[in-house]
PDB file of all heavy atoms in Angstrom:
ATOM      1  N   SER A  85      -9.731 -20.350 -25.663  1.00  0.00           N
ATOM      2  CA  SER A  85     -10.976 -20.212 -24.898  1.00  0.00           C
ATOM      3  C   SER A  85     -11.304 -18.735 -24.647  1.00  0.00           C
ATOM      4  O   SER A  85     -12.473 -18.333 -24.680  1.00  0.00           O
ATOM      5  CB  SER A  85     -10.871 -20.979 -23.581  1.00  0.00           C
ATOM      6  OG  SER A  85      -9.704 -20.611 -22.877  1.00  0.00           O
ATOM      7  N   ILE A  86     -10.276 -17.921 -24.422  1.00  0.00           N
ATOM      8  CA  ILE A  86     -10.546 -16.502 -24.160  1.00  0.00           C
ATOM      9  C   ILE A  86     -11.049 -15.800 -25.425  1.00  0.00           C
ATOM     10  O   ILE A  86     -12.061 -15.083 -25.392  1.00  0.00           O
ATOM     11  CB  ILE A  86      -9.291 -15.797 -23.575  1.00  0.00           C
ATOM     12  CG1 ILE A  86      -9.032 -16.304 -22.142  1.00  0.00           C
ATOM     13  CG2 ILE A  86      -9.458 -14.282 -23.588  1.00  0.00           C
ATOM     14  CD1 ILE A  86      -7.845 -15.664 -21.433  1.00  0.00           C
ATOM     15  N   ALA A  87     -10.363 -16.017 -26.539  1.00  0.00           N
ATOM     16  CA  ALA A  87     -10.791 -15.360 -27.783  1.00  0.00           C
ATOM     17  C   ALA A  87     -12.196 -15.806 -28.175  1.00  0.00           C
ATOM     18  O   ALA A  87     -13.040 -14.985 -28.562  1.00  0.00           O
ATOM     19  CB  ALA A  87      -9.791 -15.647 -28.902  1.00  0.00           C
ATOM     20  N   VAL A  88     -12.464 -17.097 -28.048  1.00  0.00           N
ATOM     21  CA  VAL A  88     -13.791 -17.617 -28.406  1.00  0.00           C
ATOM     22  C   VAL A  88     -14.853 -17.076 -27.450  1.00  0.00           C
ATOM     23  O   VAL A  88     -15.949 -16.679 -27.860  1.00  0.00           O
ATOM     24  CB  VAL A  88     -13.785 -19.166 -28.426  1.00  0.00           C
ATOM     25  CG1 VAL A  88     -15.204 -19.723 -28.574  1.00  0.00           C
ATOM     26  CG2 VAL A  88     -12.887 -19.674 -29.564  1.00  0.00           C
ATOM     27  N   GLY A  89     -14.519 -17.030 -26.157  1.00  0.00           N
ATOM     28  CA  GLY A  89     -15.454 -16.493 -25.168  1.00  0.00           C
ATOM     29  C   GLY A  89     -15.883 -15.070 -25.517  1.00  0.00           C
ATOM     30  O   GLY A  89     -17.073 -14.722 -25.465  1.00  0.00           O
ATOM     31  N   PHE A  90     -14.919 -14.243 -25.893  1.00  0.00           N
ATOM     32  CA  PHE A  90     -15.257 -12.865 -26.242  1.00  0.00           C
ATOM     33  C   PHE A  90     -16.078 -12.798 -27.533  1.00  0.00           C
ATOM     34  O   PHE A  90     -16.940 -11.941 -27.680  1.00  0.00           O
ATOM     35  CB  PHE A  90     -13.993 -12.003 -26.350  1.00  0.00           C
ATOM     36  CG  PHE A  90     -13.565 -11.469 -25.000  1.00  0.00           C
ATOM     37  CD1 PHE A  90     -12.495 -12.026 -24.315  1.00  0.00           C
ATOM     38  CD2 PHE A  90     -14.264 -10.430 -24.402  1.00  0.00           C
ATOM     39  CE1 PHE A  90     -12.120 -11.557 -23.065  1.00  0.00           C
ATOM     40  CE2 PHE A  90     -13.903  -9.951 -23.159  1.00  0.00           C
ATOM     41  CZ  PHE A  90     -12.824 -10.507 -22.484  1.00  0.00           C
ATOM     42  N   ARG A  91     -15.800 -13.734 -28.439  1.00  0.00           N
ATOM     43  CA  ARG A  91     -16.585 -13.757 -29.681  1.00  0.00           C
ATOM     44  C   ARG A  91     -18.041 -14.087 -29.346  1.00  0.00           C
ATOM     45  O   ARG A  91     -18.969 -13.433 -29.839  1.00  0.00           O
ATOM     46  CB  ARG A  91     -15.998 -14.798 -30.631  1.00  0.00           C
ATOM     47  CG  ARG A  91     -16.108 -14.419 -32.089  1.00  0.00           C
ATOM     48  CD  ARG A  91     -14.876 -14.840 -32.886  1.00  0.00           C
ATOM     49  NE  ARG A  91     -14.663 -16.282 -32.865  1.00  0.00           N
ATOM     50  CZ  ARG A  91     -13.440 -16.850 -32.752  1.00  0.00           C
ATOM     51  NH1 ARG A  91     -12.353 -16.105 -32.638  1.00  0.00           N
ATOM     52  NH2 ARG A  91     -13.336 -18.150 -32.759  1.00  0.00           N
ATOM     53  N   LEU A  92     -18.245 -15.059 -28.473  1.00  0.00           N
ATOM     54  CA  LEU A  92     -19.611 -15.425 -28.063  1.00  0.00           C
ATOM     55  C   LEU A  92     -20.314 -14.238 -27.408  1.00  0.00           C
ATOM     56  O   LEU A  92     -21.494 -13.972 -27.649  1.00  0.00           O
ATOM     57  CB  LEU A  92     -19.567 -16.597 -27.073  1.00  0.00           C
ATOM     58  CG  LEU A  92     -19.021 -17.941 -27.576  1.00  0.00           C
ATOM     59  CD1 LEU A  92     -18.870 -18.914 -26.402  1.00  0.00           C
ATOM     60  CD2 LEU A  92     -19.941 -18.533 -28.644  1.00  0.00           C
ATOM     61  N   LEU A  93     -19.541 -13.529 -26.597  1.00  0.00           N
ATOM     62  CA  LEU A  93     -20.116 -12.391 -25.870  1.00  0.00           C
ATOM     63  C   LEU A  93     -20.510 -11.286 -26.843  1.00  0.00           C
ATOM     64  O   LEU A  93     -21.609 -10.711 -26.755  1.00  0.00           O
ATOM     65  CB  LEU A  93     -19.085 -11.875 -24.852  1.00  0.00           C
ATOM     66  CG  LEU A  93     -19.548 -10.798 -23.880  1.00  0.00           C
ATOM     67  CD1 LEU A  93     -20.719 -11.276 -23.035  1.00  0.00           C
ATOM     68  CD2 LEU A  93     -18.392 -10.362 -22.971  1.00  0.00           C
ATOM     69  N   LYS A  94     -19.623 -11.030 -27.781  1.00  0.00           N
ATOM     70  CA  LYS A  94     -19.866  -9.969 -28.759  1.00  0.00           C
ATOM     71  C   LYS A  94     -21.087 -10.300 -29.620  1.00  0.00           C
ATOM     72  O   LYS A  94     -21.876  -9.417 -29.969  1.00  0.00           O
ATOM     73  CB  LYS A  94     -18.615  -9.837 -29.632  1.00  0.00           C
ATOM     74  CG  LYS A  94     -18.582  -8.555 -30.434  1.00  0.00           C
ATOM     75  CD  LYS A  94     -17.289  -8.439 -31.217  1.00  0.00           C
ATOM     76  CE  LYS A  94     -17.342  -7.229 -32.143  1.00  0.00           C
ATOM     77  NZ  LYS A  94     -16.095  -7.128 -32.922  1.00  0.00           N
ATOM     78  N   GLU A  95     -21.220 -11.570 -29.929  1.00  0.00           N
ATOM     79  CA  GLU A  95     -22.339 -11.988 -30.784  1.00  0.00           C
ATOM     80  C   GLU A  95     -23.633 -12.164 -30.001  1.00  0.00           C
ATOM     81  O   GLU A  95     -24.654 -12.559 -30.558  1.00  0.00           O
ATOM     82  CB  GLU A  95     -21.970 -13.310 -31.487  1.00  0.00           C
ATOM     83  CG  GLU A  95     -20.846 -13.139 -32.507  1.00  0.00           C
ATOM     84  CD  GLU A  95     -20.250 -14.479 -32.960  1.00  0.00           C
ATOM     85  OE1 GLU A  95     -20.723 -15.539 -32.483  1.00  0.00           O
ATOM     86  OE2 GLU A  95     -19.309 -14.454 -33.775  1.00  0.00           O
ATOM     87  N   GLY A  96     -23.577 -11.907 -28.710  1.00  0.00           N
ATOM     88  CA  GLY A  96     -24.791 -12.000 -27.905  1.00  0.00           C
ATOM     89  C   GLY A  96     -25.202 -13.429 -27.601  1.00  0.00           C
ATOM     90  O   GLY A  96     -26.314 -13.668 -27.128  1.00  0.00           O
ATOM     91  N   ARG A  97     -24.304 -14.391 -27.832  1.00  0.00           N
ATOM     92  CA  ARG A  97     -24.663 -15.782 -27.578  1.00  0.00           C
ATOM     93  C   ARG A  97     -24.479 -16.153 -26.111  1.00  0.00           C
ATOM     94  O   ARG A  97     -24.950 -17.203 -25.661  1.00  0.00           O
ATOM     95  CB  ARG A  97     -23.860 -16.698 -28.493  1.00  0.00           C
ATOM     96  CG  ARG A  97     -24.330 -16.537 -29.963  1.00  0.00           C
ATOM     97  CD  ARG A  97     -23.342 -17.108 -30.959  1.00  0.00           C
ATOM     98  NE  ARG A  97     -23.118 -18.531 -30.731  1.00  0.00           N
ATOM     99  CZ  ARG A  97     -22.087 -19.199 -31.264  1.00  0.00           C
ATOM    100  NH1 ARG A  97     -21.185 -18.567 -32.002  1.00  0.00           N
ATOM    101  NH2 ARG A  97     -21.943 -20.481 -31.015  1.00  0.00           N
ATOM    102  N   ILE A  98     -23.778 -15.329 -25.373  1.00  0.00           N
ATOM    103  CA  ILE A  98     -23.734 -15.441 -23.908  1.00  0.00           C
ATOM    104  C   ILE A  98     -23.945 -14.028 -23.348  1.00  0.00           C
ATOM    105  O   ILE A  98     -23.706 -13.036 -24.026  1.00  0.00           O
ATOM    106  CB  ILE A  98     -22.389 -16.035 -23.383  1.00  0.00           C
ATOM    107  CG1 ILE A  98     -21.173 -15.265 -23.953  1.00  0.00           C
ATOM    108  CG2 ILE A  98     -22.292 -17.517 -23.697  1.00  0.00           C
ATOM    109  CD1 ILE A  98     -19.815 -15.783 -23.459  1.00  0.00           C
ATOM    110  N   ASP A  99     -24.402 -13.966 -22.088  1.00  0.00           N
ATOM    111  CA  ASP A  99     -24.652 -12.664 -21.454  1.00  0.00           C
ATOM    112  C   ASP A  99     -23.447 -12.160 -20.686  1.00  0.00           C
ATOM    113  O   ASP A  99     -23.409 -10.992 -20.273  1.00  0.00           O
ATOM    114  CB  ASP A  99     -25.833 -12.781 -20.483  1.00  0.00           C
ATOM    115  CG  ASP A  99     -27.099 -13.186 -21.211  1.00  0.00           C
ATOM    116  OD1 ASP A  99     -27.478 -12.457 -22.151  1.00  0.00           O
ATOM    117  OD2 ASP A  99     -27.675 -14.235 -20.862  1.00  0.00           O
ATOM    118  N   ALA A 100     -22.502 -13.058 -20.455  1.00  0.00           N
ATOM    119  CA  ALA A 100     -21.328 -12.676 -19.679  1.00  0.00           C
ATOM    120  C   ALA A 100     -20.234 -13.687 -19.949  1.00  0.00           C
ATOM    121  O   ALA A 100     -20.519 -14.837 -20.317  1.00  0.00           O
ATOM    122  CB  ALA A 100     -21.659 -12.677 -18.190  1.00  0.00           C
ATOM    123  N   PHE A 101     -18.983 -13.247 -19.759  1.00  0.00           N
ATOM    124  CA  PHE A 101     -17.861 -14.177 -19.915  1.00  0.00           C
ATOM    125  C   PHE A 101     -16.955 -14.026 -18.704  1.00  0.00           C
ATOM    126  O   PHE A 101     -16.587 -12.906 -18.325  1.00  0.00           O
ATOM    127  CB  PHE A 101     -17.094 -13.889 -21.207  1.00  0.00           C
ATOM    128  CG  PHE A 101     -15.937 -14.829 -21.443  1.00  0.00           C
ATOM    129  CD1 PHE A 101     -16.125 -16.209 -21.448  1.00  0.00           C
ATOM    130  CD2 PHE A 101     -14.658 -14.334 -21.650  1.00  0.00           C
ATOM    131  CE1 PHE A 101     -15.060 -17.079 -21.664  1.00  0.00           C
ATOM    132  CE2 PHE A 101     -13.587 -15.192 -21.869  1.00  0.00           C
ATOM    133  CZ  PHE A 101     -13.793 -16.571 -21.876  1.00  0.00           C
ATOM    134  N   ALA A 102     -16.627 -15.142 -18.076  1.00  0.00           N
ATOM    135  CA  ALA A 102     -15.837 -15.112 -16.849  1.00  0.00           C
ATOM    136  C   ALA A 102     -14.635 -16.039 -16.975  1.00  0.00           C
ATOM    137  O   ALA A 102     -14.742 -17.130 -17.536  1.00  0.00           O
ATOM    138  CB  ALA A 102     -16.696 -15.547 -15.663  1.00  0.00           C
ATOM    139  N   SER A 103     -13.493 -15.589 -16.434  1.00  0.00           N
ATOM    140  CA  SER A 103     -12.267 -16.373 -16.580  1.00  0.00           C
ATOM    141  C   SER A 103     -11.301 -16.104 -15.438  1.00  0.00           C
ATOM    142  O   SER A 103     -11.200 -14.988 -14.931  1.00  0.00           O
ATOM    143  CB  SER A 103     -11.587 -15.998 -17.900  1.00  0.00           C
ATOM    144  OG  SER A 103     -10.302 -16.593 -17.991  1.00  0.00           O
ATOM    145  N   ALA A 104     -10.573 -17.150 -15.048  1.00  0.00           N
ATOM    146  CA  ALA A 104      -9.460 -16.992 -14.121  1.00  0.00           C
ATOM    147  C   ALA A 104      -8.133 -17.043 -14.877  1.00  0.00           C
ATOM    148  O   ALA A 104      -7.077 -17.203 -14.288  1.00  0.00           O
ATOM    149  CB  ALA A 104      -9.503 -18.098 -13.065  1.00  0.00           C
ATOM    150  N   GLY A 105      -8.222 -16.859 -16.183  1.00  0.00           N
ATOM    151  CA  GLY A 105      -7.027 -16.961 -17.023  1.00  0.00           C
ATOM    152  C   GLY A 105      -6.225 -15.673 -17.082  1.00  0.00           C
ATOM    153  O   GLY A 105      -6.368 -14.793 -16.229  1.00  0.00           O
ATOM    154  N   ASN A 106      -5.402 -15.588 -18.114  1.00  0.00           N
ATOM    155  CA  ASN A 106      -4.512 -14.451 -18.326  1.00  0.00           C
ATOM    156  C   ASN A 106      -5.267 -13.106 -18.252  1.00  0.00           C
ATOM    157  O   ASN A 106      -6.063 -12.770 -19.135  1.00  0.00           O
ATOM    158  CB  ASN A 106      -3.877 -14.641 -19.710  1.00  0.00           C
ATOM    159  CG  ASN A 106      -2.806 -13.633 -20.025  1.00  0.00           C
ATOM    160  OD1 ASN A 106      -3.010 -12.449 -19.861  1.00  0.00           O
ATOM    161  ND2 ASN A 106      -1.661 -14.125 -20.489  1.00  0.00           N
ATOM    162  N   THR A 107      -5.023 -12.356 -17.171  1.00  0.00           N
ATOM    163  CA  THR A 107      -5.749 -11.103 -16.940  1.00  0.00           C
ATOM    164  C   THR A 107      -5.534 -10.112 -18.077  1.00  0.00           C
ATOM    165  O   THR A 107      -6.469  -9.428 -18.514  1.00  0.00           O
ATOM    166  CB  THR A 107      -5.295 -10.462 -15.614  1.00  0.00           C
ATOM    167  OG1 THR A 107      -5.530 -11.392 -14.562  1.00  0.00           O
ATOM    168  CG2 THR A 107      -6.062  -9.194 -15.315  1.00  0.00           C
ATOM    169  N   GLY A 108      -4.312 -10.052 -18.556  1.00  0.00           N
ATOM    170  CA  GLY A 108      -4.013  -9.125 -19.643  1.00  0.00           C
ATOM    171  C   GLY A 108      -4.826  -9.455 -20.885  1.00  0.00           C
ATOM    172  O   GLY A 108      -5.401  -8.559 -21.518  1.00  0.00           O
TER     173      GLY A 108
END
Side-chain angles (χ1 to χ4, degrees):
Chain A
S85 52
I86 290 182
V88 171
F90 275 103
R91 214 142 61 220
L92 296 172
L93 187 59
K94 195 177 173 181
E95 292 166 1
R97 290 164 59 195
I98 52 179
D99 299 303
F101 181 55
S103 172
N106 187 311
T107 302

